[in-house]
Every structure is written in structure tokens, then in C-alpha cells.
Amino acid sequence: MALVEFFQMLPVWLGRLLNAGWGEMDYGWAWFLGHFTMILIFDVVLLVLIAYLLLADRKIWAAVQMRRGPNVVGPFGLLQTFADLFKFLFKEVIIPAGANKVIFVIAPLITVILAFAGWAVVPMADKWVVSDINVGILYLFAMSSLGVYGIIMAGWASNSKYPFLSALRAAAQMVSYEVSIGFVIITVLLFAGSLNLSDIVRAQSTTGVFALANWNVFSILFPMLPIFFVSALAETNRPPFDLVEAESELVAGFFVEYSSTPFLLFFLGEYLSIVLMCAMCSILFLGGWLSPLNIWPLNIPELGIFWFLLKICFFFFMFAMVKAMVPRYRYDQLMRLGWKVFLPTSLLWVVLTAAYVLVFHSNA
Amino acid sequence: MFEAIAFYFFSAILIASALMVIAARNPVHSVLFLILCFFNAAGLFVLAGAEFLAMLLVVVYVGAVAVLFLFVVMMLDIDFAELKRGALQYLPLGALIGLVLVAELVMAGSAWLLKPPVLAARAHATPEGVTNTAALGHILYTDYIYYFQIAGLVLLVAMIGAIVLTLRHRPGVRRQVISVQNARTAAMAVNMVDIKPGEGA
């Protein structure tokens, strides 16, 4: 049963169970209640996942530098993120006197809402998706490209030098790398023949034993994964492309003036979009919820979510390792990489993939 | 009923934010209201079943064009109150253009009343069994392929034109050649010199 159907039936079942007379609820309300519950549960699970991925990020970073990392709050530091959460929540919100107050407060909200909104179309397993829309990948692309607004608005509304410089950098950087992300996405959807994320995953499935041989990363699209991964680093302002918050030049970048909960929202939004990018990498190239081998206990559909989370964790580990190991790029190097290396390569690959699909795929 | 509520919700915000684009004192607020406008227009597209256009509106206009608008408006130090001082004298002209647009929209929108055969020519956003994206693709790449290609060429010419117009060759600029930088080795960069005390290099 699909996740959506389960949650739509949930209030109906509940009504029958309690025999309270609302078992005969009309479809509209059941739809609304079911979706509301589903989205609530989905977001809470996502937040807990983010809390532990954040801890993992810090632990990996510490391990590379031969430190212990957070290990005080709870066993092995497992509750560190929650301690941080309460610290951010209980501190005072400071809004600078010269700031444009409305935009200053809206900016972190926009960041976190957009980061959450992108998750609506991500298929966790077969049919396990909040909204299975036909233009899912365009929607994801739109949501990730809108992330720049939170940063620009924060930088401008702070009415301060460093945040403003950071906002200008962010605008240039994110617009530049969106171009190559867009072309990589075009190659994948040429290959899959669909804009629906579930269909893109299904296009990578096969009945052979070595199912992973049919994943996009092992097809003609293989050079697109590194390009997508590096562009995702730049798009989410992760090191080595964190020029937006380069502390040696811009203090802390666009959130210099932010404190307590608004800062927490920026932080949360950043990690949500990082994990979203990991999810996109695994859906587009590593076959989403598909098992790597078509052997009985591994390929049962219920394990789909496990494989998907495993792939997300793999890409998140890569993100964390890059942060720990690679020094920050200079701004001109960043622009050169985006416009002079990634753009021509991905453009060429769009043409190559189109030719390949025309010649080798029978449905073209 | 649900669709009607959504339609009036999107339309009301669309019109209100469109008014605010020209009424806001701060130009940055104007651009932000313009973005809100685009978003609600995208919502209306989704209601009409044109999901591909909705997403393109968000990706292209909100994700790229409006970012550049915002970029420029933030960088410019223009006293917009000064600029707007004489704006009211253009009101008759603006109203005339608005009237022409309304008349055209009414004529286009009520074409099937004036000329019933037009009804058959109306295309649905999502025809039977085909997604909106596929339907658009079929129309663009079969019926209107030449117009589509010409539109692409016009955009290409515009892009190259913009680059040519802003490109300036300044003499004496020191450029970085990345391949030369990468080809440098320690032997090329460091020269060990044995200097005796009291003498220069």
C-alpha cells in the first residue's frame, strides 16, 4: 500500500475503531487530515534525521582532524544537537536597530520553508512520496534555486557591510552553479524520458542480478555525477565553496547579525538543503530506493527506504569529508570552475546523451 | 469548491502584490513583491493544469531573472522618490495602454462567444493520456518547430550581442593562465642561492 493511501485511510480507520460516528467522513476531510498527519510525521522524522546527520558531520570532521568531537551530552554525544537546539531557542532574538525588520525576520523563514518544501516530491521508496507530481525534478530544481533569496534578503536587510557583500557573492555563486546543475538534470531526464522522480528511479531498475549495473552512474552519464556533486557543494555553500560565509573575509557572511532562533533557522535550512542534494544525487545517479543486487532478502520493496537512506548517508559522508579535507577556493577560481569547466562539459554531455538516446534507446 | 478558493486566493494576492510593485516606496520591496507576483502566477498555472509552465516560471523568472533584478536594484543608489515625482502625468497614457490590454484580453477570452468554431481550436493543458510537458513538447517540436528554432536563434543573437557590446579589450591586463600555474613545479618556483655574509644576492 502506498504511504499516501495509508495516511488517507488513517482517519477513517480511527473513526471506525472508536465507533465515534465519524467513520463515514467524506473524502475531502479524510484527504486533508491524512495528508496533514503524513506531512507532520514526515517532517518530524526528517528533523530527527537532520539532527543525527549534523552530529555525524561534526564527528567525521573531528575524526579527520584527530579530535573526539562532541562527546559530552548523552552517550557518545548523541544528544548534542538537541542541547544546541535548546540553546538557540532560549537565547534572546536580537534585531539590529538599522535593519529592515520585516525582511530581516522573513529571510530565515523563507530559507527553512523552501528547504522543507523541496522534500515534498522526494520518493523515499516505491510510491512512498508526499506528492508524486509529473514535474518533480523541475520543482526540486526550482526550490533549490530559490534558496538564494533567503541569503540575499538576509544580507540586504541586515544593513551591514559584511552580510551585504556576502549576499552579493551568494547571488553570483548560486546563479552560476545552477546553470551546470540544470544541464546535468537535463542529461538525466533525457536518459530516463521523464520529469517524474519516481519514474527516473524506475528507469534505472532491471531484472538482472547485478541491478546496480543499470544505475545511471554506470551508464554514459557517469561524468555527470562528479559535476552534480561539486555543483551541489557550491549551491549549498558548503566548503570548499563557502565563500558566502568565509570567516576570514566576511566574519560569518550573511548571518553576522542573526542570533538565536533566526540563526537556527538558517542553520537548519542549510542542512536540509544539503541532505536534499544528497537525496537528489542518489535518485538521479544511484537508483534511489533500488537495491544494488537483485537477490531475495535484499530486493524486497519494504527495504527501499533503507537503501535510499544508506545512499543519502553515503553522499552525506562525502560532503563531510570534502568539508574536512579541501581548502577553500578563491572567488575567481570558483567562477572559472563553474563557467569555464562545468558549463562546457555538461553542455557537451547533453548533446552526447541526446545522440546516445536517439541511437540506442528504442523508445526515442 | 477547493479549486475556486485556491483560484481567488492566488488571484487576490497576485493583484495586490502587482499593485504593491508600483506602489512600494523602496525599490527592493518592489522587486520582492514582483517575486510574490510570479509565485502566485505559477499557482494559477498549476490550477489550470499547466504544471510545466508553472515550474518554468518559478525557475526562470524567480530563480534567475528576479535574482538579477534584485542584484541590480540593491547595488544602485537611486532616489526613487525623486524619480516618481512626475509619474502621475503619465497616468492617462498608462490607463490607455491598460484599457487596450483589457479589451484584447476580453476579445481573446470571449472568442468562442463571438465565433463558436474557435471553441474547437482551444487546446487543453493536459490532453488525454499525455502529461502537460509531453503535450507542450509535441506542439513545439512538431507543429511549430521552425518558429521555435527562430526564437532560439533570436535569443542567441541577443546573448552574443550583449557580450559583444560589453566586451572591452584593455591593453596591459595581466591574466591568469591556469595551465601555466598548474604546470609549475618546486624547481621552477624556488631558487636556492648561497649568500655569503656581507654580500647581496
Side-chain angles (χ1 to χ4, degrees):
Chain A
M1 178 183 290
L3 193 65
V4 182
E5 291 163 22
F6 173 78
F7 279 106
Q8 274 169 9
M9 289 304 290
L10 193 67
V12 181
W13 288 336
L14 212 65
R16 282 183 193 151
L17 198 71
L18 298 172
N19 202 12
W22 47 292
E24 307 306 318
M25 207 182 308
D26 68 320
Y27 180 74
W29 276 106
W31 185 89
F32 179 77
L33 262 181
H35 272 74
F36 187 80
T37 325
M38 173 171 67
I39 291 167
L40 200 68
I41 292 175
F42 184 79
D43 282 352
V44 170
V45 171
L46 193 60
L47 280 179
V48 174
L49 180 73
I50 295 287
Y52 282 100
L53 281 176
L54 183 58
L55 183 73
D57 192 26
R58 296 172 69 177
K59 282 280 192 188
I60 294 166
W61 200 10
V64 172
Q65 297 174 346
M66 299 176 82
R67 293 183 285 117
R68 280 171 183 274
N71 63 349
V72 177
V73 189
F76 310 107
L78 282 178
L79 299 175
Q80 178 68 44
T81 314
F82 298 97
D84 289 345
L85 169 75
F86 287 117
K87 186 187 81 177
F88 282 127
L89 286 183
F90 291 135
K91 285 204 168 184
E92 185 190 356
V93 180
I94 299 167
I95 300 177
N100 189 321
K101 288 188 185 55
V102 178
I103 297 182
F104 188 83
V105 175
I106 288 178
L109 289 176
I110 284 186
T111 305
V112 83
I113 287 173
L114 286 175
F116 264 121
W119 281 93
V121 294
V122 174
M124 295 287 142
D126 205 0
K127 291 180 185 156
W128 279 43
V129 50
V130 174
S131 178
D132 193 15
I133 58 174
N134 281 326
V135 285
I137 195 158
L138 274 181
Y139 174 85
L140 261 188
F141 183 55
M143 289 303 136
S144 70
S145 66
L146 293 186
V148 69
Y149 278 107
I151 295 175
I152 298 188
M153 286 163 74
W156 182 79
S158 297
N159 199 6
S160 160
K161 287 186 201 68
Y162 293 122
F164 188 60
L165 284 172
S166 161
L168 294 182
R169 278 188 177 187
Q173 175 177 338
M174 293 172 88
V175 170
S176 308
Y177 277 85
E178 257 158 41
V179 181
S180 52
I181 285 194
F183 279 121
V184 172
I185 285 177
I186 289 176
T187 60
V188 173
L189 61 91
L190 271 175
F191 214 67
S194 172
L195 289 162
N196 185 318
L197 286 166
S198 303
D199 286 346
I200 288 174
V201 174
R202 280 183 207 120
Q204 300 175 51
S205 69
T206 176
T207 45
V209 175
F210 288 100
L212 79 167
N214 208 37
W215 291 353
N216 279 344
V217 66
F218 297 116
S219 68
I220 187 177
L221 296 178
F222 69 94
M224 291 295 102
L225 178 59
I227 288 187
F228 189 85
F229 182 75
V230 176
S231 302
L233 287 174
E235 183 80 5
T236 52
N237 300 320
R238 279 285 281 194
F241 305 110
D242 58 340
L243 290 138
V244 170
E245 49 197 81
E247 69 279 346
S248 52
E249 301 155 23
L250 298 176
V251 190
F254 61 94
F255 48 64
V256 170
E257 307 288 350
Y258 281 85
S259 58
S260 94
T261 315
F263 174 79
L264 174 73
L265 291 180
F266 271 127
F267 203 62
L268 185 65
E270 193 173 308
Y271 270 85
L272 274 169
S273 46
I274 288 166
V275 183
L276 185 63
M277 280 296 176
C278 296
M280 268 178 97
C281 281
S282 36
I283 289 172
L284 297 182
F285 293 101
L286 286 195
W289 67 76
L290 298 173
S291 153
L293 294 173
N294 257 338
I295 299 169
W296 169 65
L298 296 180
N299 65 357
I300 51 173
E302 283 73 20
L303 272 180
I305 182 113
F306 167 75
W307 292 118
F308 187 58
L309 282 178
L310 198 70
K311 287 164 188 171
I312 288 184
C313 288
F314 167 71
F315 278 112
F316 191 81
F317 179 73
M318 302 277 283
F319 265 74
M321 289 302 276
V322 169
K323 177 184 181 179
M325 295 192 303
V326 185
R328 184 177 293 137
Y329 262 52
R330 222 168 49 214
Y331 197 71
D332 61 307
Q333 292 172 328
L334 174 90
M335 284 298 160
R336 176 182 165 271
L337 186 69
W339 289 106
K340 292 189 176 173
V341 181
F342 284 178
L343 179 61
T345 316
S346 51
L347 200 55
L348 175 72
W349 228 263
V350 170
V351 178
L352 275 181
T353 315
Y356 181 89
V357 168
L358 191 66
V359 174
F360 291 103
H361 286 202
S362 52
N363 58 350
Chain B
M1 188 198 73
F2 219 64
E3 280 186 11
I5 292 175
F7 173 77
Y8 285 115
F9 179 76
F10 285 135
S11 311
I13 297 182
L14 178 67
I15 292 169
S17 55
L19 277 177
M20 287 307 290
V21 172
I22 50 172
R25 283 176 183 278
N26 193 327
V28 173
H29 291 180
S30 286
V31 178
L32 292 177
F33 275 116
L34 184 67
I35 292 162
L36 188 61
C37 232
F38 285 146
F39 255 113
N40 287 285
L44 288 178
F45 271 130
V46 170
L47 281 184
E51 47 194 18
F52 184 74
L53 281 184
M55 288 305 140
L56 272 201
L57 187 69
V58 175
V59 170
V60 175
Y61 282 91
V62 185
V65 175
V67 172
L68 296 182
F69 275 8
L70 205 57
F71 207 96
V72 171
V73 167
M74 280 178 177
M75 297 291 282
L76 295 177
D77 188 24
I78 298 177
D79 189 358
F80 272 75
E82 187 75 18
L83 270 181
K84 277 185 178 170
R85 189 164 289 165
L88 268 183
Q89 74 191 45
Y90 296 112
L91 191 66
L93 187 65
L96 190 68
I97 294 175
L99 266 178
V100 170
L101 277 177
V102 166
E104 283 179 352
L105 276 177
V106 167
M107 279 161 74
S110 58
W112 65 87
L113 285 180
L114 304 172
K115 210 169 182 217
V118 175
L119 200 59
R122 277 197 309 170
H124 198 265
T126 48
E128 286 291 311
V130 187
T131 63
N132 175 238
T133 318
L136 267 179
H138 280 306
I139 287 182
L140 280 183
Y141 285 96
T142 53
D143 299 349
Y144 297 105
I145 177 70
Y146 295 117
Y147 302 102
F148 187 67
Q149 298 284 352
I150 289 169
L153 276 180
V154 169
L155 281 177
L156 182 70
V157 169
M159 191 176 80
I160 293 174
I163 294 171
V164 168
L165 283 177
T166 53
L167 188 69
R168 280 184 177 71
H169 287 288
R170 285 175 297 172
V173 178
R174 290 158 66 97
R175 295 191 186 281
Q176 296 189 37
V177 185
I178 303 290
S179 52
V180 172
Q181 288 183 357
N182 283 340
R184 256 160 71 104
T185 58
M188 293 161 69
V190 185
N191 190 16
M192 298 294 281
V193 182
D194 212 6
I195 299 174
K196 296 198 171 59
E199 295 176 17

